[in-house]
Amino acid sequence: MSIGTGAKIISFLAGISYTFIFVYSLQDIEWYLVSNPNYGVWRPMAENVEFNALESNSNAVMAVADTVRTTLGPKGLDKLLIDQAMNRHISNDGVTILLSLRAIHPVARMIVEIAERQEQLVGDGTTTAVVMAAEMIKEGKRLVKELGVHPTKVVEGIEGGVKEACQLLERGAKKISLDEIALDQVVKTSLSSKLDGKKLSLLVISALRSVEKNAMYNGSYDFEKTIMVLRRTNMEDKVINGIVLERKRMDPEMPLELKEARVMIARLDLKPVKEAWVKENSKYAEILNMENDRVAKSKDLVNSLLATGANVILIASGEVDQVIENLLVANKVLAVRISIEEIEYLSRYTGAKPVRMLDDLKKSDILGKADHIYEDEDNGVIYMDNGSRGGMATMIVSGTTKETSLERWRAAIDGINAAEAALNKGVVVGGGAAELHVIEKVKNLRLKGLEQVGLDVVTSALESIMRQILTNAGFNGLEKVMAVKASPDTFGIDIDSGDPVDMWKMGVLDPLLVKTMALEAAGEIAKAVLRIDRNLAAEDLSQQALSETKR
Ligand code: ADP
Ligand code: MG
């Protein structure tokens, strides 16, 4: 055989393999490698795992995550939500967007649930949780499909990594107090991506400072009990020292305003005599008797109410007899109907003890106080100010339309929640910097065997936050992340200039709790999704059916 022929054969063979690569897509080859048990040194461990469910589930998660990831951070964009009736709503809030999505894949619904839980537990960081969950699933899927790591190994790696990262974040967190500028900065950071965030953050900060230490319960802050946030469309934004009830006086002839008011909260039965009972008694005299009796009883009742000295009565009973109402008007009492839910904070604010039975009226400590109570007739609200007692504030958050007021209202609550979390558990640097700088330490963690590769899942997620925030700001996210990786631990990227900066100095701070919760939530969902190897159609999975089969 001549040298020429040999060369021809070699080039022919090379030609075949060349064609081979081109004809089959890269995915096919991967599939071939993964599914061939005898292939090379890295004999796949996940050979019994079906990929179809993982593929479709992770695609579904990605699709949902993609709808919110572009909202992350101060330069994130808004989404326009439109329903079938063409109602529209513009939102930048992860959980709002997710909850309004129609007909989504059942696995993707898990993402929505996680976001919802995050919202309930810490009230912020929902997009962060979703972005990290998606990143974990993407990376986890790669390990399972491409490297053939068994899902349980990946899951254990995620568990270890998340725990370690949370501990590292905790170690790097800083305690702050109510009077520190850091508190203002946390609120501003949290609201930076929101509609009108600057103005709202000033409002939130002023509310926080006005209730101060009164928001402390059992050693930690709980602003839900001390700051009420009202959503209005026709009023100016403001913070009021005191309570604003979205109610009117029971009767327009009652006094509009009272100072140094003595307040009673009535849970008494003030119902009229049952009409049915009257109808059954056809005798005129009997009815008249009953009517007289009703008036007499009502008079007695009102007299004993007034004997306590109360001139403001907050009524939490279902129905009130017209005679009783008339008597209250005649006696210049300012009566307001309230709901059972309102009793708790009104009682706390005024010091009034709810009166449940007539006997209670004899007690000496049932009345509370209000320095000033008045109705704003134009806006249909009642203000109750208790400067001398203090302790509660109401934020009125407005908007030109119902949608904007709703969005701003949610944002204000997010801001309050962020402040609460920061005061209770401390803060870390924001912009994804805190997460980025724990990566190297997480990598140092030594897990047994293949679980180690599961750590990559967590580190990718930790990196994804800064990357996404910067991508959303128009930078090459990956490039910027690489640029700041080697900087000191508090460094991130200035969102405007794109230069590395100290995030502490910039005042970009996030509550630790928001970060750790988001990371844990993301880990939970990633673990759940990665462990599923099949989606099956089931008959009936209602609680009943499940519990019965378990027995
Ligand atoms: P989430 O729903 O997760 O709260 P947001 O859209 O509110 O999402 O974005 C929060 C993220 O934006 C946090 O990681 C926060 O640190 C970051 N962020 C806020 N302000 C800045 C800023 N000026 N520079 C960089 N990152 C910022
Ligand atoms: Mg937020």
Side-chain angles (χ1 to χ4, degrees):
M1 194 200 292
S2 73
I3 297 168
T5 328
K8 262 186 203 150
I9 292 173
I10 289 168
S11 74
F12 174 73
L13 287 175
I16 292 178
S17 56
Y18 186 74
T19 327
F20 175 81
I21 289 173
F22 262 82
V23 168
Y24 298 94
S25 74
L26 208 58
Q27 229 175 13
D28 290 336
I29 292 174
E30 279 167 13
W31 180 84
Y32 169 78
L33 297 180
V34 169
S35 60
N36 180 357
N38 302 318
Y39 186 84
V41 269
W42 41 281
R43 200 172 97 78
M45 304 188 54
E47 60 196 54
N48 297 324
V49 177
E50 296 206 20
F51 297 131
N52 290 348
L54 181 54
E55 189 71 50
S56 108
N57 294 346
S58 90
N59 285 345
V61 169
M62 292 312 140
V64 169
D66 286 345
T67 60
V68 293
R69 72 165 78 242
T70 51
T71 66
L72 186 69
K75 305 258 167 145
L77 298 177
D78 299 345
K79 303 279 168 258
L80 173 64
L81 305 165
I82 309 162
D83 70 8
Q84 277 176 315
M86 296 309 263
N87 294 315
R88 67 216 140 65
H89 177 61
I90 293 176
S91 182
N92 184 286
D93 186 44
V95 78
T96 310
I97 298 168
L98 290 173
L99 285 175
S100 52
L101 294 179
R102 201 158 53 97
I104 66 171
H105 189 285
V107 169
R109 190 154 290 286
M110 282 160 61
I111 282 264
V112 180
E113 280 159 16
I114 287 281
E116 223 181 337
R117 208 181 67 191
Q118 172 85 8
E119 179 75 10
Q120 279 162 5
L121 291 179
V122 277
D124 198 13
T126 49
T127 318
T128 303
V130 172
V131 168
M132 286 199 291
E135 191 68 24
M136 286 187 188
I137 291 166
K138 193 165 99 191
E139 182 64 16
K141 189 185 82 171
R142 191 183 71 80
L143 293 177
V144 173
K145 282 193 76 173
E146 290 182 15
L147 299 185
V149 183
H150 196 276
T152 53
K153 303 280 176 203
V154 180
V155 164
E156 277 167 40
I158 294 178
E159 229 158 65
V162 166
K163 209 167 132 208
E164 179 75 2
C166 287
Q167 282 170 359
L168 289 164
L169 287 170
E170 266 162 41
R171 240 173 277 156
K174 191 170 172 270
K175 282 262 170 223
I176 62 164
S177 62
L178 200 66
D179 45 13
E180 270 177 73
I181 180 89
L183 183 68
D184 302 43
Q185 292 168 335
V186 171
V187 175
K188 281 192 184 132
T189 306
S190 156
L191 292 180
S192 61
S193 56
K194 308 290 175 181
L195 190 72
D196 215 8
K198 271 215 178 76
K199 209 172 146 211
L200 274 179
S201 60
L202 296 178
L203 210 64
V204 169
I205 292 161
S206 121
L208 292 172
R209 297 251 152 85
S210 85
V211 296
E212 293 191 304
K213 294 267 186 314
N214 286 304
M216 287 281 248
Y217 293 88
N218 305 327
S220 55
Y221 285 90
D222 183 354
F223 289 109
E224 208 188 331
K225 288 203 175 100
T226 33
I227 301 178
M228 329 230 64
V229 190
L230 290 193
R231 178 164 56 87
R232 308 286 298 187
T233 44
N234 49 356
M235 288 172 79
E236 249 181 85
D237 283 352
K238 58 183 159 188
V239 174
I240 289 133
N241 233 320
I243 287 180
V244 181
L245 289 171
E246 287 184 287
R247 301 195 173 268
K248 289 168 176 284
R249 290 159 294 159
M250 221 172 147
D251 190 292
E253 282 179 58
M254 288 177 168
L256 250 186
E257 176 173 14
L258 283 173
K259 288 197 171 150
E260 305 298 328
R262 296 174 300 277
V263 183
M264 177 191 291
I265 297 176
R267 277 202 77 174
L268 288 163
D269 184 12
L270 304 172
K271 271 192 222 83
V273 177
K274 286 273 169 292
E275 276 184 31
W277 196 44
V278 176
K279 276 184 201 131
E280 277 163 24
N281 288 280
S282 47
K283 282 193 201 120
Y284 178 71
E286 251 178 55
I287 293 178
L288 198 67
N289 262 347
M290 269 166 38
E291 188 59 25
N292 286 339
D293 191 41
R294 172 186 171 201
V295 172
K297 284 218 172 92
S298 298
K299 266 191 186 148
D300 279 353
L301 181 64
V302 172
N303 282 340
S304 44
L305 290 176
L306 295 175
T308 61
N311 56 0
V312 170
I313 305 185
L314 306 172
I315 300 178
S317 327
E319 284 173 85
V320 179
D321 197 311
Q322 188 60 46
V323 180
I324 293 180
E325 186 180 327
N326 294 345
L327 288 166
L328 291 176
V329 172
N331 284 289
K332 302 211 168 10
V333 170
L334 200 169
V336 184
R337 281 175 172 284
I338 58 168
S339 67
I340 304 281
E341 295 78 52
E342 285 168 310
I343 292 180
E344 201 257 334
Y345 71 84
L346 283 168
S347 164
R348 195 151 29 83
Y349 188 57
T350 58
K353 302 229 165 69
V355 176
R356 289 166 176 276
M357 284 175 294
L358 285 176
D359 279 352
D360 292 344
L361 291 173
K362 295 190 193 103
K363 292 184 188 156
S364 60
D365 60 348
I366 49 167
L367 291 195
K369 281 195 323 160
D371 292 352
H372 190 190
I373 176 166
Y374 58 101
E375 180 175 326
D376 172 352
E377 283 183 297
D378 294 341
N379 292 311
V381 292
I382 292 176
Y383 292 95
M384 194 189 285
D385 182 0
N386 228 350
S388 59
R389 224 180 129 86
M392 281 195 81
T394 305
M395 272 176 75
I396 295 187
V397 178
S398 193
T400 40
T401 63
K402 217 172 109 200
E403 289 93 49
T404 49
S405 78
L406 190 66
E407 188 76 8
R408 294 182 83 235
W409 175 76
R410 285 205 194 95
I413 293 177
D414 271 10
I416 297 174
N417 289 334
E420 185 178 302
L423 287 167
N424 288 337
K425 300 280 177 200
V427 295
V428 294
V429 283
E435 293 95 324
L436 186 77
H437 292 293
V438 298
I439 290 179
E440 285 310 311
K441 294 189 191 109
V442 171
K443 279 187 181 158
N444 287 338
L445 187 67
R446 287 286 158 259
L447 298 176
K448 58 176 168 42
L450 269 175
E451 289 81 348
Q452 189 74 25
V453 293
L455 287 183
D456 289 355
V457 173
V458 179
T459 55
S460 319
L462 289 167
E463 200 182 281
S464 66
I465 298 306
M466 184 182 285
R467 205 172 59 217
Q468 191 67 53
I469 291 173
L470 293 171
T471 306
N472 290 353
F475 297 108
N476 178 335
L478 189 61
E479 185 191 333
K480 293 289 174 199
V481 167
M482 292 306 154
V484 83
K485 246 186 174 169
S487 319
D489 280 1
T490 51
F491 270 58
I493 295 283
D494 181 326
I495 199 102
D496 295 312
S497 68
D499 299 328
V501 283
D502 188 335
M503 297 308 248
W504 272 111
K505 292 207 179 107
M506 290 282 288
V508 179
L509 303 179
D510 282 330
L512 166 74
L513 199 62
V514 172
K515 300 274 124 170
T516 50
M517 287 278 193
L519 191 56
E520 276 165 8
E524 285 306 313
I525 187 141
K527 286 191 288 180
V529 172
L530 290 169
R531 291 180 71 104
I532 299 170
D533 78 338
R534 249 186 213 212
N535 300 341
L536 303 170
E539 193 65 54
D540 177 11
L541 293 180
S542 58
Q543 287 302 334
Q544 179 85 23
L546 267 184
S547 58
E548 271 173 14
T549 50
K550 267 200 185 131
R551 238 177 268 138

